[in-house]
Amino acid sequence: MAKKKLVVPRYQQIAVAIAERIVENRYHEGEKIHARSTLASNFNTSPETARKAINVLVDLGIMEVRHGSGAYVASKEKAKSYLIQYHDVSSIQDLKQEILNSVNRQQEELENFSTLLDTLVSQTKIRHQTAPFVPYEIVLDDKAVHLNQSIGELNIWQETGATVVAIQHEDRLLLSPGPYAKFEVGETVFFVGEELVFQRMQHFFYPKNIELN
């Protein structure tokens, strides 16, 4: 997704620049501003764009048009107020753009995460007889025992010989979980080990099911 950039119209840029010059006393109250000759030349723009900039300032009371004479600086105070409001709005627009950029980056990261997750799940479906180091998986439902206990507390490796390599919960995938990672309802546990490790993990989390069989 291409990132959109906020663009300020040229006439508005010029209006801001004129207001800044008024505040800096480069243009004084009562001074005539020649849109065609002065502004068009100074800002390297067309007379039409210069007139649009003047119109913005006239609407705001910063300048005034005297019929048959031209445009004059009317209020330095209103120029100050306009600049304050303009920079406040610009800051909000910049913040909005940063938020949009952040959302785009997060979307890209989520898509990358989804690809990695699909790859891992696909690999777990390979037959373990032909690929003994591909992880086994077991889903923990509300009938599983040892829920809300950590890998370290349960001594998983000592009890079953399994090494837990990942824990998936909905769209969250925790790779190489440490000893403090806890098992919760709805999680899929990925693990590796010797030939009988899958049966041992089944018995570890679902001992009653094994006994019924």
Side-chain angles (χ1 to χ4, degrees):
M1 183 182 296
K3 297 178 181 178
K4 296 181 179 179
K5 299 184 70 174
L6 298 173
V7 179
V8 178
R10 179 60 178 157
Y11 70 87
Q12 187 174 342
Q13 295 176 20
I14 295 173
V16 171
I18 295 172
E20 288 174 341
R21 294 186 179 193
I22 294 171
V23 171
E24 295 168 357
N25 292 318
R26 296 169 64 184
Y27 294 150
H28 301 281
E29 289 185 358
E31 181 178 345
K32 182 178 180 179
I33 304 295
H34 300 275
R36 179 179 295 274
S37 60
T38 303
L39 297 184
S41 175
N42 289 350
F43 294 100
N44 191 27
T45 190
S46 68
E48 179 61 26
T49 300
R51 279 194 291 270
K52 285 183 178 180
I54 292 293
N55 289 339
V56 169
L57 298 176
V58 170
D59 290 341
L60 294 171
I62 297 171
M63 297 187 68
E64 63 181 4
V65 174
R66 300 174 187 174
H67 293 291
S69 180
Y72 293 80
V73 177
S75 174
K76 178 179 177 179
E77 287 303 314
K78 289 183 178 179
K80 286 182 180 179
S81 298
Y82 170 56
L83 289 179
I84 291 172
Q85 293 175 7
Y86 174 80
H87 289 305
D88 285 346
V89 170
S90 296
S91 296
I92 293 172
Q93 289 177 332
D94 290 341
L95 180 59
K96 177 182 176 182
Q97 188 64 46
E98 283 302 312
I99 292 173
L100 291 175
N101 291 343
S102 177
V103 170
N104 288 335
R105 287 194 298 270
Q106 291 177 19
Q107 181 64 32
E108 292 172 358
E109 291 171 359
L110 182 59
E111 291 174 357
N112 183 53
F113 165 81
S114 178
T115 301
L116 292 174
L117 182 59
D118 289 343
T119 300
L120 176 59
V121 172
S122 176
Q123 288 178 345
T124 61
K125 294 179 181 179
I126 301 174
R127 295 182 62 86
H128 292 282
Q129 291 84 350
T130 57
F133 294 105
V134 173
Y136 296 89
E137 63 182 87
I138 184 171
V139 178
L140 303 180
D141 59 27
D142 57 0
K143 297 182 177 61
V145 299
H146 306 307
L147 295 175
N148 299 315
Q149 291 181 268
S150 70
I151 293 175
E153 290 174 336
L154 296 174
N155 293 320
I156 292 292
W157 185 81
Q158 291 86 344
E159 293 292 331
T160 67
T163 299
V164 178
V165 295
I167 298 176
Q168 176 192 342
H169 185 79
E170 296 180 352
D171 61 346
R172 181 191 69 200
L173 181 66
L174 177 62
L175 296 173
S176 301
Y180 301 107
K182 293 187 176 182
F183 298 105
E184 299 176 4
V185 173
E187 290 183 337
T188 299
V189 181
F190 298 91
F191 55 96
V192 295
E194 60 182 11
E195 185 177 354
L196 298 178
V197 73
F198 180 77
Q199 288 81 358
R200 291 172 184 166
M201 286 286 279
Q202 281 276 41
H203 184 270
F204 187 76
F205 285 103
Y206 296 101
K208 292 184 179 180
N209 290 352
I210 300 299
E211 292 170 5
L212 289 177
N213 292 337

